[in-house]
Amino acid sequence: MINTLNESLLHKKLKSYYSIQNEGSRTEVKHGQYIADILTKDNTIIEIQTANLSRLYDKIQYCIDQEIQIKAVYPLVTTKYIETFSEEGKLISKRKSPQHKNIYSIFKELTSLYKFLQNKFFILEIIEVTMTEIRENTKIPVQSKNKRRRFMKSWIKTGKRLEEIGKSYIFNSKKEYLKLMPEGLKEEFTVKDVLTALKKAGIKAKEQSIRCMIWVYNKSGLLEQCGTIKRCYVYRICKKTLD
């Protein structure tokens, strides 16, 4: 269940935005054993997940079992600013993060949800956003709230603020997912072939992101493995997907 007291500024802003976009919707609605972020007037559940899409696994499975349409909305931070404050609340610095992501960066988030990609009750919406990460300096090095820091640092994240909403990608069919496969591929291809085709199209993508995409597509049945060449797996679009 979602505790509204623990929502980030980013989550609150997006929930408000999607609630307004879907006239007649309600927020924080109990539905079975879960609380829906948004319930539209046509009974579609919209869940805003600002990190770790895998946390929605059980809720998505529940909705599918109940034949309820569920849309997972994930903000992909393509531009990020960092504001650092003192413990007294004074702004010390603001800078643009060198971190860069694009739509091909999402597949790490989908590794636990691949089984839902072709389900008619599941919709995935990825929205590109500009976000400000808010940090507070600390007098001594500390661990992060999620306990993931290998080394202690003298600051801690205290929030995220939505600055701008950009392009939206909606995936609700095989065709939409396969649009991310670049043009110019042969019928059978490797990860390197996909990277080369993307580069020719002027699209920057990390090799790890493309490997992850191919893995997700293969596991979900969008692609099928059909052999190896020079120790590289060879794939093709699943014939059933083309039907």
Side-chain angles (χ1 to χ4, degrees):
M1 292 186 182
I2 295 175
N3 181 345
T4 56
L5 295 176
N6 292 327
E7 287 181 334
S8 69
L9 293 173
L10 177 60
H11 187 279
K12 286 181 180 179
K13 194 71 176 286
L14 287 173
K15 188 169 70 175
S16 176
Y17 174 80
Y18 276 87
S19 179
I20 293 171
Q21 292 293 310
N22 291 272
E23 186 177 353
S25 64
R26 295 178 291 152
T27 61
E28 299 301 316
V29 179
K30 184 172 175 58
H31 205 293
Q33 59 183 315
Y34 296 101
I35 301 293
D37 276 350
I38 300 169
L39 181 65
T40 69
K41 61 183 179 182
D42 66 355
N43 289 320
T44 294
I45 288 176
I46 300 177
E47 289 295 322
I48 312 296
Q49 192 69 23
T50 59
N52 299 323
L53 272 172
S54 60
R55 292 177 182 173
L56 289 179
Y57 183 96
D58 290 341
K59 187 176 285 190
I60 294 170
Q61 186 67 69
Y62 167 80
C63 289
I64 289 173
D65 290 343
Q66 299 297 315
E67 297 189 351
I68 299 167
Q69 194 85 60
I70 180 169
K71 176 191 281 189
V73 176
Y74 181 80
L76 179 67
V77 181
T78 53
T79 303
K80 182 169 79 171
Y81 296 93
I82 299 171
E83 288 183 354
T84 303
F85 291 82
S86 67
E87 291 183 302
E88 294 72 34
K90 181 180 179 181
L91 179 63
I92 299 173
S93 65
K94 180 175 181 176
R95 62 183 177 86
K96 185 176 181 180
S97 170
Q99 175 182 322
H100 177 74
K101 293 184 178 182
N102 61 21
I103 190 62
Y104 293 94
S105 307
I106 69 166
F107 288 96
K108 185 178 179 180
E109 293 286 341
L110 297 180
T111 54
S112 62
L113 303 183
Y114 65 83
K115 63 178 283 188
F116 304 129
L117 299 194
Q118 295 200 58
N119 193 288
K120 64 181 180 180
F121 294 106
F122 177 64
I123 300 171
L124 175 66
E125 181 169 0
I126 307 297
I127 52 170
E128 296 181 346
V129 301
T130 297
M131 182 200 79
T132 294
E133 179 180 288
I134 303 167
R135 298 177 178 179
E136 180 182 303
N137 275 352
T138 57
K139 292 181 180 178
I140 59 173
V142 295
Q143 179 57 275
S144 61
K145 292 180 180 179
N146 58 15
K147 310 296 183 183
R148 291 183 179 179
R149 282 182 177 169
R150 185 176 179 183
F151 302 104
M152 302 290 190
K153 297 182 180 180
S154 297
W155 56 266
I156 193 166
K157 296 179 185 178
T158 58
K160 302 174 184 177
R161 185 174 68 243
L162 178 66
E163 303 293 354
E164 185 178 353
I165 293 176
K167 186 175 180 179
S168 172
Y169 299 83
I170 297 178
F171 300 95
N172 58 1
S173 68
K174 302 170 186 177
K175 182 180 178 180
E176 295 304 317
Y177 284 105
L178 290 175
K179 279 183 179 179
L180 295 183
M181 299 296 291
E183 295 183 1
L185 286 175
K186 295 180 180 180
E187 182 177 346
E188 297 182 355
F189 52 85
T190 65
V191 169
K192 289 184 178 180
D193 292 332
V194 176
L195 281 165
T196 299
L198 286 172
K199 187 176 181 180
K200 286 182 178 178
I203 301 171
K204 293 182 179 180
K206 294 181 179 179
E207 181 175 342
Q208 185 58 36
S209 296
I210 300 307
R211 289 190 179 281
C212 203
M213 179 181 76
I214 298 299
W215 186 90
V216 169
Y217 280 10
N218 182 46
K219 294 290 286 186
S220 67
L222 290 166
L223 300 180
E224 58 185 1
Q225 188 180 322
C226 56
T228 59
I229 182 170
K230 296 181 179 179
R231 298 185 180 181
C232 294
Y233 290 122
V234 178
Y235 300 90
R236 64 186 171 207
I237 295 175
C238 186
K239 292 181 180 179
K240 291 182 179 180
T241 302
L242 296 173
D243 294 338

PDB file of all heavy atoms in Angstrom, residues 9-23:
ATOM      1  N   LEU A   9       8.227  14.393  -3.771  1.00  0.00           N
ATOM      2  CA  LEU A   9       7.643  15.522  -4.498  1.00  0.00           C
ATOM      3  C   LEU A   9       7.387  15.139  -5.950  1.00  0.00           C
ATOM      4  O   LEU A   9       6.390  15.548  -6.547  1.00  0.00           O
ATOM      5  CB  LEU A   9       8.590  16.724  -4.426  1.00  0.00           C
ATOM      6  CG  LEU A   9       8.797  17.361  -3.047  1.00  0.00           C
ATOM      7  CD1 LEU A   9       9.883  18.428  -3.127  1.00  0.00           C
ATOM      8  CD2 LEU A   9       7.504  17.962  -2.536  1.00  0.00           C
ATOM      9  N   LEU A  10       8.274  14.340  -6.523  1.00  0.00           N
ATOM     10  CA  LEU A  10       8.131  13.885  -7.901  1.00  0.00           C
ATOM     11  C   LEU A  10       6.876  13.027  -8.051  1.00  0.00           C
ATOM     12  O   LEU A  10       6.082  13.204  -8.977  1.00  0.00           O
ATOM     13  CB  LEU A  10       9.370  13.100  -8.323  1.00  0.00           C
ATOM     14  CG  LEU A  10       9.367  12.487  -9.732  1.00  0.00           C
ATOM     15  CD1 LEU A  10       9.223  13.568 -10.784  1.00  0.00           C
ATOM     16  CD2 LEU A  10      10.645  11.679  -9.953  1.00  0.00           C
ATOM     17  N   HIS A  11       6.693  12.097  -7.138  1.00  0.00           N
ATOM     18  CA  HIS A  11       5.527  11.212  -7.186  1.00  0.00           C
ATOM     19  C   HIS A  11       4.236  12.013  -7.037  1.00  0.00           C
ATOM     20  O   HIS A  11       3.263  11.800  -7.775  1.00  0.00           O
ATOM     21  CB  HIS A  11       5.637  10.160  -6.080  1.00  0.00           C
ATOM     22  CG  HIS A  11       4.582   9.111  -6.142  1.00  0.00           C
ATOM     23  ND1 HIS A  11       3.310   9.302  -5.640  1.00  0.00           N
ATOM     24  CD2 HIS A  11       4.604   7.844  -6.654  1.00  0.00           C
ATOM     25  CE1 HIS A  11       2.596   8.205  -5.833  1.00  0.00           C
ATOM     26  NE2 HIS A  11       3.355   7.308  -6.443  1.00  0.00           N
ATOM     27  N   LYS A  12       4.209  12.951  -6.106  1.00  0.00           N
ATOM     28  CA  LYS A  12       3.007  13.760  -5.878  1.00  0.00           C
ATOM     29  C   LYS A  12       2.645  14.578  -7.106  1.00  0.00           C
ATOM     30  O   LYS A  12       1.476  14.673  -7.495  1.00  0.00           O
ATOM     31  CB  LYS A  12       3.242  14.700  -4.687  1.00  0.00           C
ATOM     32  CG  LYS A  12       3.225  14.021  -3.340  1.00  0.00           C
ATOM     33  CD  LYS A  12       3.441  15.045  -2.234  1.00  0.00           C
ATOM     34  CE  LYS A  12       3.429  14.386  -0.862  1.00  0.00           C
ATOM     35  NZ  LYS A  12       3.658  15.369   0.223  1.00  0.00           N
ATOM     36  N   LYS A  13       3.665  15.173  -7.733  1.00  0.00           N
ATOM     37  CA  LYS A  13       3.414  16.024  -8.891  1.00  0.00           C
ATOM     38  C   LYS A  13       2.876  15.202 -10.060  1.00  0.00           C
ATOM     39  O   LYS A  13       1.938  15.620 -10.749  1.00  0.00           O
ATOM     40  CB  LYS A  13       4.721  16.732  -9.285  1.00  0.00           C
ATOM     41  CG  LYS A  13       4.560  17.888 -10.259  1.00  0.00           C
ATOM     42  CD  LYS A  13       3.894  19.073  -9.612  1.00  0.00           C
ATOM     43  CE  LYS A  13       3.824  20.277 -10.556  1.00  0.00           C
ATOM     44  NZ  LYS A  13       5.139  20.930 -10.717  1.00  0.00           N
ATOM     45  N   LEU A  14       3.460  14.030 -10.273  1.00  0.00           N
ATOM     46  CA  LEU A  14       3.016  13.179 -11.372  1.00  0.00           C
ATOM     47  C   LEU A  14       1.617  12.615 -11.113  1.00  0.00           C
ATOM     48  O   LEU A  14       0.807  12.504 -12.032  1.00  0.00           O
ATOM     49  CB  LEU A  14       4.004  12.040 -11.600  1.00  0.00           C
ATOM     50  CG  LEU A  14       5.329  12.436 -12.258  1.00  0.00           C
ATOM     51  CD1 LEU A  14       6.289  11.264 -12.270  1.00  0.00           C
ATOM     52  CD2 LEU A  14       5.103  12.948 -13.674  1.00  0.00           C
ATOM     53  N   LYS A  15       1.338  12.281  -9.875  1.00  0.00           N
ATOM     54  CA  LYS A  15       0.006  11.770  -9.551  1.00  0.00           C
ATOM     55  C   LYS A  15      -1.047  12.853  -9.795  1.00  0.00           C
ATOM     56  O   LYS A  15      -2.122  12.578 -10.346  1.00  0.00           O
ATOM     57  CB  LYS A  15      -0.049  11.302  -8.101  1.00  0.00           C
ATOM     58  CG  LYS A  15      -1.351  10.587  -7.746  1.00  0.00           C
ATOM     59  CD  LYS A  15      -1.272   9.900  -6.401  1.00  0.00           C
ATOM     60  CE  LYS A  15      -1.227  10.882  -5.261  1.00  0.00           C
ATOM     61  NZ  LYS A  15      -1.264  10.206  -3.957  1.00  0.00           N
ATOM     62  N   SER A  16      -0.714  14.077  -9.427  1.00  0.00           N
ATOM     63  CA  SER A  16      -1.627  15.191  -9.670  1.00  0.00           C
ATOM     64  C   SER A  16      -1.800  15.418 -11.170  1.00  0.00           C
ATOM     65  O   SER A  16      -2.922  15.633 -11.654  1.00  0.00           O
ATOM     66  CB  SER A  16      -1.084  16.463  -9.011  1.00  0.00           C
ATOM     67  OG  SER A  16      -1.897  17.577  -9.317  1.00  0.00           O
ATOM     68  N   TYR A  17      -0.706  15.351 -11.912  1.00  0.00           N
ATOM     69  CA  TYR A  17      -0.742  15.571 -13.362  1.00  0.00           C
ATOM     70  C   TYR A  17      -1.634  14.537 -14.046  1.00  0.00           C
ATOM     71  O   TYR A  17      -2.504  14.885 -14.868  1.00  0.00           O
ATOM     72  CB  TYR A  17       0.682  15.493 -13.915  1.00  0.00           C
ATOM     73  CG  TYR A  17       0.776  15.551 -15.420  1.00  0.00           C
ATOM     74  CD1 TYR A  17       0.708  16.761 -16.100  1.00  0.00           C
ATOM     75  CD2 TYR A  17       0.935  14.383 -16.171  1.00  0.00           C
ATOM     76  CE1 TYR A  17       0.794  16.819 -17.490  1.00  0.00           C
ATOM     77  CE2 TYR A  17       1.021  14.425 -17.553  1.00  0.00           C
ATOM     78  CZ  TYR A  17       0.945  15.639 -18.209  1.00  0.00           C
ATOM     79  OH  TYR A  17       1.025  15.680 -19.583  1.00  0.00           O
ATOM     80  N   TYR A  18      -1.454  13.253 -13.724  1.00  0.00           N
ATOM     81  CA  TYR A  18      -2.238  12.205 -14.375  1.00  0.00           C
ATOM     82  C   TYR A  18      -3.688  12.200 -13.910  1.00  0.00           C
ATOM     83  O   TYR A  18      -4.586  11.818 -14.667  1.00  0.00           O
ATOM     84  CB  TYR A  18      -1.584  10.838 -14.156  1.00  0.00           C
ATOM     85  CG  TYR A  18      -0.494  10.567 -15.162  1.00  0.00           C
ATOM     86  CD1 TYR A  18       0.801  11.000 -14.928  1.00  0.00           C
ATOM     87  CD2 TYR A  18      -0.771   9.934 -16.365  1.00  0.00           C
ATOM     88  CE1 TYR A  18       1.804  10.793 -15.861  1.00  0.00           C
ATOM     89  CE2 TYR A  18       0.214   9.719 -17.300  1.00  0.00           C
ATOM     90  CZ  TYR A  18       1.507  10.157 -17.055  1.00  0.00           C
ATOM     91  OH  TYR A  18       2.492   9.959 -17.992  1.00  0.00           O
ATOM     92  N   SER A  19      -3.914  12.630 -12.702  1.00  0.00           N
ATOM     93  CA  SER A  19      -5.290  12.745 -12.207  1.00  0.00           C
ATOM     94  C   SER A  19      -6.046  13.814 -12.985  1.00  0.00           C
ATOM     95  O   SER A  19      -7.199  13.624 -13.385  1.00  0.00           O
ATOM     96  CB  SER A  19      -5.286  13.083 -10.716  1.00  0.00           C
ATOM     97  OG  SER A  19      -6.602  13.224 -10.229  1.00  0.00           O
ATOM     98  N   ILE A  20      -5.375  14.939 -13.256  1.00  0.00           N
ATOM     99  CA  ILE A  20      -5.991  16.028 -14.020  1.00  0.00           C
ATOM    100  C   ILE A  20      -6.193  15.610 -15.472  1.00  0.00           C
ATOM    101  O   ILE A  20      -7.220  15.922 -16.087  1.00  0.00           O
ATOM    102  CB  ILE A  20      -5.121  17.302 -13.941  1.00  0.00           C
ATOM    103  CG1 ILE A  20      -5.123  17.851 -12.505  1.00  0.00           C
ATOM    104  CG2 ILE A  20      -5.616  18.369 -14.925  1.00  0.00           C
ATOM    105  CD1 ILE A  20      -4.125  18.961 -12.269  1.00  0.00           C
ATOM    106  N   GLN A  21      -5.216  14.878 -16.023  1.00  0.00           N
ATOM    107  CA  GLN A  21      -5.313  14.433 -17.410  1.00  0.00           C
ATOM    108  C   GLN A  21      -6.469  13.450 -17.617  1.00  0.00           C
ATOM    109  O   GLN A  21      -7.012  13.338 -18.710  1.00  0.00           O
ATOM    110  CB  GLN A  21      -4.001  13.771 -17.847  1.00  0.00           C
ATOM    111  CG  GLN A  21      -2.808  14.712 -17.950  1.00  0.00           C
ATOM    112  CD  GLN A  21      -2.962  15.728 -19.061  1.00  0.00           C
ATOM    113  OE1 GLN A  21      -3.269  15.380 -20.195  1.00  0.00           O
ATOM    114  NE2 GLN A  21      -2.755  16.992 -18.741  1.00  0.00           N
ATOM    115  N   ASN A  22      -6.822  12.720 -16.562  1.00  0.00           N
ATOM    116  CA  ASN A  22      -7.902  11.747 -16.638  1.00  0.00           C
ATOM    117  C   ASN A  22      -9.096  12.279 -15.848  1.00  0.00           C
ATOM    118  O   ASN A  22      -9.281  11.982 -14.671  1.00  0.00           O
ATOM    119  CB  ASN A  22      -7.440  10.396 -16.085  1.00  0.00           C
ATOM    120  CG  ASN A  22      -6.407   9.727 -16.958  1.00  0.00           C
ATOM    121  OD1 ASN A  22      -6.732   8.990 -17.875  1.00  0.00           O
ATOM    122  ND2 ASN A  22      -5.134  10.001 -16.677  1.00  0.00           N
ATOM    123  N   GLU A  23      -9.889  13.090 -16.526  1.00  0.00           N
ATOM    124  CA  GLU A  23     -11.031  13.745 -15.885  1.00  0.00           C
ATOM    125  C   GLU A  23     -11.984  12.717 -15.262  1.00  0.00           C
ATOM    126  O   GLU A  23     -12.310  11.694 -15.864  1.00  0.00           O
ATOM    127  CB  GLU A  23     -11.795  14.578 -16.920  1.00  0.00           C
ATOM    128  CG  GLU A  23     -12.901  15.417 -16.330  1.00  0.00           C
ATOM    129  CD  GLU A  23     -13.588  16.278 -17.383  1.00  0.00           C
ATOM    130  OE1 GLU A  23     -13.104  16.302 -18.532  1.00  0.00           O
ATOM    131  OE2 GLU A  23     -14.597  16.910 -17.052  1.00  0.00           O
TER     132      GLU A  23
END
